[in-house]
Amino acid sequence: MNGEILPIRKTTVAPVAGDIQFLLEGLPHAVAVFDGNLRLESWNKKLLNILDIPESFFRETRYLRDFLDLVSPDSPDTADTVSSQMFQEMKRFTSARDLFPVSFEHSLPSGRHIEVKGEILPDTGYILTLLDMTSRKKAENLEQNDLQEMSTRLEEINIHRQTMEKQAADAVQMAEELALAQNEAQESARRIQAILDAMADGLVTIDEEAMILTANHAIEEMFGYTVDEVVGQSLLFLLNSTFFIDQEDMIDYFDSLDRNKTEFKRKETGYRKNGAHFPVELSIREVHFNDQRQYTVLVRDISERFEAEALIRKMALHDSLTGLANRNLLQQRLDEALKMAKRLGKKVAVMFLDLDMFKPVNDLYGHTTGDRLLRIIAERLTECAREVDTVARLGGDEFAIVFTNLDDETVVTRIAKRILSKIQQPIEIEDKIHNVATSIGISFYPHDSRIPEELIRMADVALYQAKDDGRRLYRIYDSQMDASAKAEKEIEMDLSRAIERNELSLHYQPQLDTIDNSVVGAEALARWNHPVKGLVPPYQFIPIAENCGEIIPIGQWIMETACRQAKEWQDKGLPPFRVCVNISAKQFHLSDFTQRVEDALTRSKLAPQWLELEITEGMVIADKDSIIPKLEKLSSLGVNLAIDDFGTGYSSLAYLKKFSVHQLKIDQSFIRDITEDHDDAAITDAVIRLGHSLGLTVVAEGVETEEHVQLLRQKGCDVLQGYHFSKPLPVEQFEDWIKAHNERLYS
């Protein structure tokens, strides 16, 4: 077979010039096709773009030498380069039979850097391809430790991959249709083979037994095997699969594919000839030839995507100074520990620590010494903790440890004593001896609370008790340390009557477009005016409402009230904008949630496009099978969907591509110190670029200064929200703010 692409789909129409041109235009690189006398026959528009030439250039008959004069004009400055000498040699020939295959890199006079490939078309002519490598060359020179530059490279990779995926799929489909006419048009088939061999992605065809029939040139480069070594082998020959047990298992998989779908994708592990493993994505399409079922399998190397996602996850979940877990990862590990403890009947402990006498060291000897000291403290804490525990740095000189799978609480108190002793040992940095100590607060599940946020709060309360008691000691949380338990119960009882007593209200915080400063949205935030306690802040009553179940009626009231208010503003003549409503996990997972959204829109008569529902990353990851239909239903209604606090959780491209979301909201914890903290700036930049590469709008919340505004605009953020523009306002004040803002904007 020699790697030729076999005809795999029936057709009664032979390829024509228009088919060839359509295929050329779908390729990701510039192409020029010459006949046997090296007269230019066909080309695509990317050729004009790379060479910066007008289309009128091709109105006259052109030959290979005319084309090469454009690519490499005679110049004493470039005469000694290898590529220029190669072009000069090629200009001497007048027949395709005299030419030879070439592959080299070349710099154009315009400064572009291109890869040049030339292939002989059997009995017909010569094909020349030019691939613009300018961006890739720039990317290769990036500093590996520069996270912000890595984000730029990540965006280029994602955009390039998506473009290549679509163009390669178009090329494969066209190749299948055109190759059917091999008997009628051998010349076209040979050209198609040359074009497919120029693809960056690997392509194989397999039969019903999953045996490889054909392979293109990219398979050789990707796996290290020759085409002859691959053809006749099972597809498993190229994979190190944990999904497919054996050949029969793979055959059963292909037999089970839904015949109503045109394409199937799955991730696998590729296996190179040298034994190396690498991640690949397979795109499988079923085709028929002479009443026989075959498959085309497009193989894409996704190593760079995996590495980029891993980098983003590490940046978002680890402390850059010490390498320990950060607050986000600590919260995730605590949630996981509590679930396991509930299932196994075990205990969990949360320990909070901060350093005594660290500030004088930092002030006297500088941040460099302070940072080195913190790294040493991190190492000592890790040595004291068990391997199954999570040690985290929360910021500054504050640390925390989650102890999981406990049978006896004394395990934690013994470790606490060990930490107190270990931390007090002198630390030598640059011939200077430093002495610091620590105070510790501890809370236990289930004795103190079953709620992760409460366990963290209780450990913090116990820490401050330890400081009050003289420092350099530990304290275990006791309910007498605060009166929060009683207050929580009172709030729970009062919340159940808050709606009927008309004690709840909504405040609105505007969201502004970074381009024209217009108001494009307003986030609805609940406020509770308690008859005795006065205005109760959301962070006090929302978590309690979540725990006791009152969040479901409260959440529905918020959504219906916000929809009615948005419609009322529109009826008053205010320019329309989206009203954004936060949805709780319990509310979202109700079986009739989508119907509740429809009812709120129907009763308020608000058009769906003016409602935006904000959900968290954890909510959509929890149960993908039930979440996807729900998100698709909401999206089909026209409701906008936003991922709130993005960057604090899973931050995965995979789920963003799978779910029907329209917007990302960067958590304010990253925005707060964006002008000073390199990690926060890099994470924010990466999220913006990732969001844009997926066609999503990106919102930054927590914008408090003009510096925030300018930096986020430079990074390409789409929408801004925060106290720099306005705090959350009651309805009447918000209306006044909108009118005043629009008057300034349009006057």
Side-chain angles (χ1 to χ4, degrees):
M1 296 181 188
N2 297 324
E4 292 185 1
I5 299 297
L6 293 177
I8 47 180
R9 182 178 293 169
K10 275 194 172 183
T11 183
T12 58
V13 181
V16 296
D19 296 326
I20 295 294
Q21 189 62 37
F22 180 79
L23 175 59
L24 292 179
E25 295 298 343
L27 292 174
H29 42 252
V31 179
V33 182
F34 302 87
D35 65 13
N37 296 319
L38 300 183
R39 182 176 55 203
L40 185 61
E41 245 187 7
S42 305
W43 66 91
N44 61 5
K45 291 183 179 178
K46 292 182 180 64
L47 191 65
L48 281 66
N49 297 333
I50 286 184
L51 298 181
D52 294 325
I53 55 176
E55 195 165 354
S56 58
F57 173 82
F58 297 100
R59 290 175 185 167
E60 299 179 23
T61 301
R62 297 293 181 180
Y63 291 84
L64 177 64
R65 60 179 176 273
D66 300 320
F67 176 74
L68 297 180
D69 284 336
L70 291 173
V71 177
S72 179
D74 295 334
S75 170
D77 296 332
T78 61
D80 294 333
T81 64
V82 174
S83 60
S84 295
Q85 291 176 5
M86 183 70 74
F87 283 129
Q88 291 302 320
E89 181 71 13
M90 293 171 68
K91 289 178 187 179
R92 296 191 303 106
F93 299 115
T94 58
S95 171
R97 291 189 299 272
D98 300 326
L99 278 171
F100 44 85
V102 296
S103 179
F104 55 88
E105 295 181 7
H106 178 68
S107 294
L108 295 173
S110 63
R112 290 180 187 262
H113 196 87
I114 61 173
E115 181 183 34
V116 181
K117 285 188 176 182
E119 294 286 346
I120 300 172
L121 296 175
D123 302 325
T124 59
Y126 200 73
I127 179 170
L128 208 60
T129 63
L130 306 181
L131 178 63
D132 192 343
M133 299 178 62
T134 308
S135 298
R136 190 187 306 173
K137 281 295 180 182
K138 291 179 180 177
E140 290 174 356
N141 296 327
L142 292 175
E143 290 293 333
Q144 288 297 316
N145 295 325
D146 191 330
L147 294 177
Q148 193 164 6
E149 291 296 327
M150 176 63 78
S151 299
T152 302
R153 183 185 176 195
L154 173 61
E155 181 194 19
E156 293 173 353
I157 292 168
N158 281 324
I159 294 174
H160 177 68
R161 283 293 177 193
Q162 291 173 2
T163 302
M164 289 291 290
E165 181 176 348
K166 182 179 185 306
Q167 292 173 338
D170 291 343
V172 171
Q173 182 175 355
M174 179 60 69
E176 292 169 356
E177 294 172 353
L178 294 180
L180 291 173
Q182 190 173 24
N183 293 332
E184 296 87 353
Q186 289 294 328
E187 179 180 343
S188 296
R190 285 192 292 269
R191 293 185 183 183
I192 291 166
Q193 179 65 53
I195 292 168
L196 291 177
D197 279 339
M199 289 171 53
D201 291 325
L203 176 67
V204 298
T205 58
I206 61 175
D207 61 17
E208 291 183 286
E209 301 298 316
M211 303 301 290
I212 298 174
L213 302 174
T214 69
N216 71 344
H217 179 65
I219 290 292
E220 293 183 333
E221 294 185 348
M222 192 178 296
F223 291 92
Y225 295 102
T226 66
V227 169
D228 289 338
E229 289 176 309
V230 170
V231 170
Q233 298 284 353
S234 164
L235 183 59
L236 280 175
F237 180 70
L238 299 176
L239 304 176
N240 184 41
S241 179
T242 57
F243 179 78
F244 298 114
I245 300 174
D246 52 27
Q247 181 74 5
E248 290 299 320
D249 191 36
M250 176 173 279
I251 294 171
D252 291 341
Y253 169 77
F254 282 102
D255 286 339
S256 68
L257 295 178
D258 186 352
R259 301 289 179 256
N260 295 320
K261 292 186 178 180
T262 59
E263 187 175 30
F264 305 88
K265 290 189 178 183
R266 63 169 295 100
K267 291 184 175 62
E268 278 290 350
T269 301
Y271 185 73
R272 292 192 172 100
K273 187 175 183 178
N274 63 7
H277 297 169
F278 65 107
V280 296
E281 182 179 71
L282 307 181
S283 298
I284 304 164
R285 299 177 68 247
E286 180 181 326
V287 294
H288 291 268
F289 174 66
N290 290 339
D291 297 326
Q292 291 184 346
R293 189 169 61 197
Q294 297 179 359
Y295 301 90
T296 60
V297 183
L298 196 70
V299 185
R300 178 167 292 110
D301 184 344
I302 55 174
S303 301
E304 289 181 310
R305 187 200 304 175
F306 267 55
E307 292 167 2
E309 288 190 14
L311 174 62
I312 294 297
R313 284 194 294 271
K314 181 173 177 61
M315 290 166 58
L317 298 176
H318 289 82
D319 174 55
S320 62
L321 177 64
T322 63
L324 297 177
N326 64 10
R327 187 182 295 271
N328 297 327
L329 182 55
L330 181 82
Q331 183 71 54
Q332 287 185 22
R333 295 283 174 80
L334 178 57
D335 292 343
E336 294 166 359
L338 295 183
K339 290 176 183 177
M340 181 175 293
K342 181 179 180 180
R343 188 166 61 251
L344 301 178
K346 301 286 188 177
K347 299 177 182 180
V348 174
V350 177
M351 178 184 288
F352 263 39
L353 317 87
D354 72 5
L355 300 181
D356 303 322
M357 302 304 294
F358 171 74
K359 190 175 186 300
V361 173
N362 206 42
D363 292 345
L364 185 60
Y365 296 99
H367 291 293
T368 301
T369 297
D371 288 349
R372 291 181 62 181
L373 189 146
L374 289 173
R375 292 191 191 98
I376 294 171
I377 295 297
E379 292 173 0
R380 292 183 177 183
L381 290 175
T382 303
E383 291 171 2
C384 292
R386 304 170 305 167
E387 287 188 9
V388 295
D389 304 326
T390 299
V391 183
R393 178 176 175 238
L394 306 181
D397 62 349
E398 296 179 338
F399 296 84
I401 305 177
V402 171
F403 297 89
T404 186
N405 199 31
L406 297 171
D407 291 310
D408 188 355
E409 294 179 359
T410 59
V411 171
V412 179
T413 57
R414 285 198 300 270
I415 293 176
K417 293 174 183 177
R418 191 187 311 157
I419 290 173
L420 290 171
S421 174
K422 189 80 170 178
I423 298 301
Q424 292 184 70
Q425 294 176 9
I427 297 174
E428 183 177 349
I429 300 175
E430 294 182 351
D431 299 327
K432 297 285 192 304
I433 301 298
H434 304 282
N435 293 287
V436 295
T438 186
S439 300
I440 298 173
I442 305 170
S443 64
F444 287 97
Y445 164 94
H447 180 271
D448 296 320
S449 178
R450 297 175 180 270
I451 303 168
E453 291 80 10
E454 276 297 285
L455 288 170
I456 290 174
R457 186 191 66 79
M458 291 171 174
D460 199 27
V461 169
L463 168 62
Y464 279 94
Q465 187 66 51
K467 288 178 173 291
D468 290 343
D469 290 347
R471 300 177 183 268
R472 303 191 179 202
L473 43 81
Y474 73 86
R475 287 288 180 263
I476 297 173
Y477 175 80
D478 189 310
S479 59
Q480 294 180 353
M481 290 179 181
D482 64 20
S484 64
K486 180 181 177 182
E488 179 177 326
K489 192 64 181 177
E490 290 177 353
I491 288 177
E492 182 178 325
M493 295 174 62
D494 291 342
L495 265 177
S496 63
R497 300 186 293 271
I499 295 178
E500 64 184 55
R501 292 179 177 179
N502 203 29
E503 295 171 0
L504 296 178
S505 63
L506 292 183
H507 287 198
Y508 297 85
Q509 189 173 37
Q511 297 176 340
L512 278 69
D513 189 294
T514 54
I515 296 177
D516 59 12
N517 223 31
S518 63
V519 176
V520 294
E523 184 173 6
L525 300 163
R527 297 292 184 266
W528 182 18
N529 191 10
H530 193 279
V532 176
K533 298 181 176 65
L535 198 62
V536 182
Y539 68 84
Q540 287 188 6
F541 72 87
I542 292 296
I544 296 173
E546 286 267 14
N547 295 329
C548 69
E550 287 297 324
I551 194 65
I552 292 176
I554 289 175
Q556 188 67 22
W557 177 87
I558 292 172
M559 182 164 56
E560 293 187 357
T561 303
C563 288
R564 284 198 305 271
Q565 186 59 64
K567 185 65 169 69
E568 183 179 329
W569 280 328
Q570 292 180 14
D571 292 343
K572 286 183 177 181
L574 290 179
F577 50 82
R578 291 189 305 275
V579 61
C580 311
V581 177
N582 291 280
I583 302 299
S584 73
K586 287 186 177 179
Q587 189 182 2
F588 184 72
H589 290 299
L590 290 171
S591 59
D592 63 343
F593 175 69
T594 56
Q595 185 60 50
R596 289 171 178 247
V597 175
E598 285 191 75
D599 292 344
L601 291 169
T602 301
R603 283 193 283 267
S604 65
K605 299 181 181 179
L606 180 69
Q609 68 264 30
W610 303 117
L611 173 63
E612 181 175 287
L613 303 180
E614 296 184 3
I615 55 181
T616 64
E617 296 181 70
M619 288 160 58
V620 295
I621 289 295
D623 183 6
K624 301 183 188 68
D625 293 336
S626 65
I627 296 302
I628 293 176
K630 194 171 290 186
L631 293 176
E632 289 177 347
K633 172 64 174 175
L634 291 170
S635 184
S636 69
L637 289 175
V639 175
N640 287 278
L641 298 169
I643 299 293
D644 199 12
D645 301 337
F646 186 78
T648 62
Y650 301 86
S651 305
S652 169
L653 279 178
Y655 85 78
L656 285 178
K657 292 172 68 175
K658 185 177 294 184
F659 297 137
S660 302
V661 296
H662 309 88
Q663 191 162 275
L664 298 183
K665 292 192 75 174
I666 306 174
D667 185 64
Q668 59 183 328
S669 64
F670 298 121
I671 304 301
R672 189 180 300 117
D673 299 320
I674 190 174
T675 56
E676 300 172 359
D677 190 307
H678 179 74
D679 285 353
D680 287 349
I683 292 172
T684 300
D685 192 60
V687 172
I688 292 171
R689 294 176 183 277
L690 284 172
H692 287 172
S693 73
L694 295 170
L696 304 178
T697 301
V698 182
V699 180
E701 54 183 353
V703 179
E704 297 180 354
T705 67
E706 183 62 23
E707 286 181 299
H708 288 167
V709 173
Q710 295 304 322
L711 186 57
L712 288 165
R713 278 180 174 158
Q714 290 172 13
K715 292 180 178 295
C717 189
D718 303 295
V719 179
L720 306 180
Q721 174 185 346
Y723 274 65
H724 178 71
F725 306 104
S726 171
K727 66 179 182 180
L729 298 170
V731 173
E732 296 78 12
Q733 294 181 29
F734 183 81
E735 284 185 29
D736 293 338
W737 186 94
I738 285 279
K739 292 175 182 176
H741 176 80
N742 287 343
E743 192 171 311
R744 289 192 303 271
L745 191 63
Y746 302 116
S747 60

